Amino acid sequence: MNLEKILQEHIAAALKAEFDVEESNIALQPTRKDFEGSFTFVVFPYVKTLRKSPVELGNAIGNYLVANSGVVKAFNVVQGFLNISIADAAWLDMFGGIFKDKKFGQLADKKETVMVEYSSPNTNKPLHLGHLRNNFLGFSVAQILSANGYEVVKANLVNDRGIHICKSMLAYQKFGNGETPESSGLKGDHLVGKYYVEFDKHYKVEIEALKANGLSEDDAKKQAPLLIEAQEMLLKWEEGDAETLALWNKMNDWVFAGFNQTYQKMGVSFDKIYRESNTYLLGKKSVEEGLKSGVFFQKEDSSVWIDLTDEGLDQKLVLRKDGTSVYITQDIGTADLKYNDFKMSKSVYVVGNEQDYHFEVLFKILKKLGRPYSDGTYHLSYGMVDLPSGKMKSREGTVVDADDLMQEMTDTARERTLELGKIDGFSKEEAEELYHTLAMGALKYFLLKVDPKKRMLFNPEESIDFQGNTGPFIQYTHARICSILRKAHEQGIIGVASNYKTLHESEQEVIYLLSEYPKKLADAGRELSPSLIAQYAYDLAKAYNRFYNEVSIFNETDLDAQQFRIAFSSVVGETIKKAMALLGINVPSRM
């Protein structure tokens, strides 16, 4: 039963019956908290046409609804706003439908495949705070699209080749002394990242020495021996030099092992991993094809370009004069590869907003090449994450490491939980699992509750509060509901959705929010915005806590009311659990 749709139909009927107005587009909004009612219809647009006052219009429509709709029990008119109160029987009927619907929160099968590509790390450094937002965002969008009825492929394109990787390799070769993850006690990705920083340190010394000998900064950067060696190493890699490939494979294996541990802690996963070492040569064939069809043009030096000036952009290089690819060439080839693998109708790239221009160009090229999937490509551009201490720089080793941050969050969750005394009866293992669950809930929720497009400031202390708009507050609400359900089970109280007649106002509010879940889910899927689900989960948890504080469950003497409130609590608990799962967040059953 969709109350909003029923109301819209009856308001349209009221306009026809009372004023002979045909209206098919009836917009409703939630009634403001300071007025009585659940839905509000704005009558202002009809005042001038019908030459009636707002109050006269509102009263006429309101009286019609009370007399004819069967779902409206009362109304009030405030200026041009008709506030509509729904009859308890209608709320209860709607709740009964939700209670019985075992698939509530799963939308119909779209019979379409969507790929969500996220993470995209470099194998020369460990994951950091920025990667956390990327991974959480990508995984959550994949979950939301899956709940919207899409077949979802979670993909990861790993940057495992290029000059950056050679910098770590060269520094390890020169200064590593055979160090391994085992001998150093470092995770493999941390060990390799250490040598990326080491390269930069020695490189800067060389630059300063060359500048002291009279070179300009630009020339010094280009002529520093370390950089020249790294470039030579990249050429050796591309030529298949056995020694270079052996070192590359060894260090990459260390990094992938480290990444896998981090991904496991994060609670994210992938269905398909692509590696740039396997895709960097792709795309050249597409350039040849585009040259023949006139999409690309060749300059006198043999370099190949696309002219996008008529699209408000500029000319873009797609093949260097020596015939080597650039990033965009590789991305064209990889896009073809992914489509051939999965035939998806949509392809979502979760990449920071510093790459906005790159993806605008890529998608225009794919369209000009006539790719069948080009209309379904989308860049989910997100803002950077800042810390109170400022911006991160990986070359200088000043990034906030993802593993360190997750550990710090777990330590903070432990301290807060022990302060609040919320782990009575927990074994040591259960307590540690709870700390990790709360830490990841706090971290994910804080990073996902903000609109993806916005740059944000991450405050670890604020994120792990048990009050307010935080993950732990919602997790605690779920644990509270589980406690209620356990007690009901012990007392033999069965949750039943029928026979209860008179709802408390806080129960109406919660039922309204429950009914909104499929709509919020569809909105989040359409806008690719986990922040809509985060806000919904918080609103539902907050409304349920208001109910809990105002309405008795176990001291209620009316058995029908008691049974209804147990059923009501179980649906809220399940919906919170589903909504949080869309954010990649687990909810504890005990706290």
Side-chain angles (χ1 to χ4, degrees), residues 130-330:
H131 289 113
L132 287 175
R133 190 178 198 191
N134 181 297
N135 279 278
F136 296 158
L137 191 53
F139 184 80
S140 179
V141 164
Q143 297 288 91
I144 289 166
L145 288 172
S146 182
N148 268 273
Y150 292 99
E151 182 73 31
V152 179
V153 179
K154 294 173 291 183
N156 184 356
L157 175 61
V158 181
N159 184 351
D160 64 341
R161 65 164 290 280
I163 192 67
H164 288 83
I165 280 74
C166 288
K167 286 176 182 179
S168 289
M169 288 165 60
L170 183 65
Y172 177 78
Q173 205 176 52
K174 286 181 171 296
F175 316 116
N177 297 315
E179 191 176 30
T180 65
E182 292 74 25
S183 70
S184 66
L186 291 172
K187 276 176 78 230
D189 51 333
H190 289 184
L191 179 63
V192 173
K194 169 183 161 183
Y195 287 100
Y196 184 58
V197 174
E198 197 69 21
F199 176 93
D200 197 59
K201 189 172 77 179
H202 288 85
Y203 178 47
K204 280 178 176 167
V205 170
E206 289 186 350
I207 291 168
E208 290 307 313
L210 289 170
K211 280 164 68 180
N213 286 334
L215 284 183
S216 70
E217 179 142 1
D218 276 355
D219 286 340
K221 282 179 178 176
K222 290 173 189 168
Q223 293 179 31
L226 268 177
L227 181 65
I228 291 166
E229 278 191 79
Q231 289 167 337
E232 287 168 355
M233 182 177 268
L234 179 57
L235 283 173
K236 282 183 180 177
W237 182 90
E238 290 180 355
E239 288 162 1
D241 177 70
E243 189 183 338
T244 305
L245 286 177
L247 177 62
W248 174 76
N249 278 314
K250 179 167 76 172
M251 293 180 74
N252 267 345
D253 286 347
W254 291 344
V255 173
F256 283 118
F259 282 171
N260 288 339
Q261 287 177 46
T262 306
Y263 287 140
Q264 197 171 2
K265 262 190 187 173
M266 284 184 192
V268 303
S269 58
F270 307 95
D271 303 307
K272 177 73 176 179
I273 293 179
Y274 292 97
R275 292 172 63 160
E276 287 196 10
S277 54
N278 295 325
T279 65
Y280 82 104
L281 294 176
L282 298 176
K284 285 190 178 183
K285 191 176 171 188
S286 298
V287 172
E288 288 167 20
E289 171 197 322
L291 264 174
K292 284 177 190 168
S293 64
V295 171
F296 303 123
F297 70 93
Q298 200 160 29
K299 290 194 175 179
E300 287 178 9
D301 65 357
S302 296
S303 61
V304 180
W305 298 70
I306 186 166
D307 187 354
L308 295 171
T309 50
D310 60 334
E311 305 267 4
L313 299 171
D314 53 13
Q315 293 187 351
K316 177 72 180 173
L317 176 73
V318 293
L319 214 60
R320 294 188 189 96
K321 61 183 179 183
D322 61 2
T324 56
S325 300
V326 291
Y327 263 121
I328 204 112
T329 327
Q330 173 185 305

Side-chain angles (χ1 to χ4, degrees), residues 52-63:
K52 303 280 185 188
S53 74
V55 172
E56 195 179 352
L57 275 168
N59 281 326
I61 297 167
N63 284 321

Side-chain angles (χ1 to χ4, degrees), residues 6 91 214 284 305 327 366 440 452 493 499 584-585 590:
I6 290 168
W91 285 123
K284 285 190 178 183
W305 298 70
Y327 263 121
L366 293 174
M440 295 311 297
I493 305 167
N499 301 326
I585 297 174
R590 286 197 304 153

Side-chain angles (χ1 to χ4, degrees), residues 29 32 40-44 54 58 76-83:
Q29 56 196 46
R32 278 173 46 182
T40 295
F41 176 62
V42 182
V43 299
F44 281 123
N76 64 83
V77 182
V78 181
Q79 296 176 328
F81 300 92
L82 170 62
N83 302 317

Side-chain angles (χ1 to χ4, degrees), residues 244-440:
T244 305
L245 286 177
L247 177 62
W248 174 76
N249 278 314
K250 179 167 76 172
M251 293 180 74
N252 267 345
D253 286 347
W254 291 344
V255 173
F256 283 118
F259 282 171
N260 288 339
Q261 287 177 46
T262 306
Y263 287 140
Q264 197 171 2
K265 262 190 187 173
M266 284 184 192
V268 303
S269 58
F270 307 95
D271 303 307
K272 177 73 176 179
I273 293 179
Y274 292 97
R275 292 172 63 160
E276 287 196 10
S277 54
N278 295 325
T279 65
Y280 82 104
L281 294 176
L282 298 176
K284 285 190 178 183
K285 191 176 171 188
S286 298
V287 172
E288 288 167 20
E289 171 197 322
L291 264 174
K292 284 177 190 168
S293 64
V295 171
F296 303 123
F297 70 93
Q298 200 160 29
K299 290 194 175 179
E300 287 178 9
D301 65 357
S302 296
S303 61
V304 180
W305 298 70
I306 186 166
D307 187 354
L308 295 171
T309 50
D310 60 334
E311 305 267 4
L313 299 171
D314 53 13
Q315 293 187 351
K316 177 72 180 173
L317 176 73
V318 293
L319 214 60
R320 294 188 189 96
K321 61 183 179 183
D322 61 2
T324 56
S325 300
V326 291
Y327 263 121
I328 204 112
T329 327
Q330 173 185 305
D331 283 349
I332 294 164
T334 307
D336 285 343
L337 174 65
K338 292 192 295 188
Y339 181 71
N340 290 336
D341 284 348
F342 295 101
K343 297 292 185 289
M344 60 277 189
S345 59
K346 297 179 196 292
S347 188
V348 180
Y349 294 77
V350 183
V351 183
N353 57 14
E354 74 276 11
Q355 294 293 332
D356 284 354
Y357 171 77
H358 176 85
F359 282 102
E360 193 179 357
V361 171
L362 173 64
F363 298 161
K364 286 187 187 305
I365 290 174
L366 293 174
K367 195 161 185 65
K368 283 180 181 291
L369 286 171
R371 295 300 188 252
Y373 57 84
S374 62
D375 284 340
T377 53
Y378 182 78
H379 174 208
L380 179 50
S381 169
Y382 63 91
M384 295 295 100
V385 185
D386 295 317
L387 287 157
S389 57
K391 201 175 176 182
M392 303 181 292
K393 293 175 184 170
S394 56
R395 279 191 304 275
E396 294 170 18
T398 58
V399 300
V400 178
D401 181 81
D403 293 310
D404 291 346
L405 181 57
M406 288 190 286
Q407 187 56 54
E408 281 171 30
M409 293 294 290
T410 303
D411 294 342
T412 306
R414 182 185 294 107
E415 287 165 24
R416 294 283 178 88
T417 309
L418 291 170
E419 280 168 19
L420 295 167
K422 293 185 183 295
I423 54 160
D424 293 343
F426 278 65
S427 69
K428 189 183 175 191
E429 290 75 18
E430 288 170 336
E432 287 300 326
E433 187 181 342
L434 175 65
Y435 305 145
H436 178 71
T437 299
L438 292 174
M440 295 311 297

Side-chain angles (χ1 to χ4, degrees), residues 21-131:
V21 170
E22 297 277 357
E23 181 63 88
S24 58
N25 188 23
I26 302 291
L28 293 173
Q29 56 196 46
T31 302
R32 278 173 46 182
K33 298 290 182 192
D34 40 344
F35 296 108
E36 192 157 334
S38 300
F39 297 95
T40 295
F41 176 62
V42 182
V43 299
F44 281 123
Y46 306 94
V47 169
K48 195 172 179 182
T49 317
L50 299 174
R51 296 181 182 179
K52 303 280 185 188
S53 74
V55 172
E56 195 179 352
L57 275 168
N59 281 326
I61 297 167
N63 284 321
Y64 180 93
L65 293 175
V66 171
N68 297 284
S69 72
V71 298
V72 177
K73 68 176 178 183
F75 69 92
N76 64 83
V77 182
V78 181
Q79 296 176 328
F81 300 92
L82 170 62
N83 302 317
I84 302 162
S85 295
I86 304 298
D88 285 358
W91 285 123
L92 289 162
D93 190 31
M94 185 162 70
F95 176 76
I98 294 169
F99 181 71
K100 289 172 190 165
D101 184 359
K102 300 300 177 195
K103 291 186 175 178
F104 182 67
Q106 175 63 48
L107 302 186
D109 188 354
K110 298 282 194 301
K111 301 195 183 322
E112 284 183 50
T113 299
V114 179
M115 177 177 282
V116 182
E117 182 191 297
Y118 60 99
S119 198
S120 307
N122 295 338
T123 56
N124 62 314
K125 54 191 175 185
L127 304 175
H128 56 63
L129 175 57
H131 289 113

